[in-house]
Amino acid sequence: MNGSPLWQELVAWGVVLAAAIYLGRRWWPALASLLGLKTTAVTTKAACGQAGGACKQCGSGGTTPPRDHRITIVRRRQ
């Protein structure tokens, strides 16, 4: 008997499939906006829920300002 048993292959394919679905759901809005594709209302609604409703695109009056996630590098003078 060569190779791994069938159940190990099925588990490995399940893990790969789950990871692909997770990454696709997480990165699709950013990738779609880079490619200039239109996103659905469901994707926009989910993004609003993640941003605390502060995107001001869906009409919900969020009270928190959007967070700046950029990295700022500060170097000390020598």
Side-chain angles (χ1 to χ4, degrees):
M1 187 180 248
N2 292 335
S4 61
L6 178 63
W7 69 270
Q8 287 181 343
E9 290 182 16
L10 291 176
V11 169
W13 278 110
V15 169
V16 168
L17 182 62
I21 291 172
Y22 171 76
L23 292 176
R25 288 182 57 116
R26 179 140 174 107
W27 290 342
W28 174 248
L31 183 62
S33 67
L34 282 175
L35 296 175
L37 302 174
K38 293 184 179 184
T39 57
T40 61
V42 174
T43 306
T44 306
K45 188 87 169 160
C48 286
Q50 293 172 354
C55 67
K56 295 186 177 63
Q57 294 178 355
C58 62
S60 66
T63 57
T64 58
R67 294 172 58 184
D68 186 8
H69 295 287
R70 293 177 289 184
I71 297 173
T72 305
I73 299 173
V74 179
R75 296 185 181 174
R76 295 182 181 171
R77 293 184 181 177
Q78 295 179 352

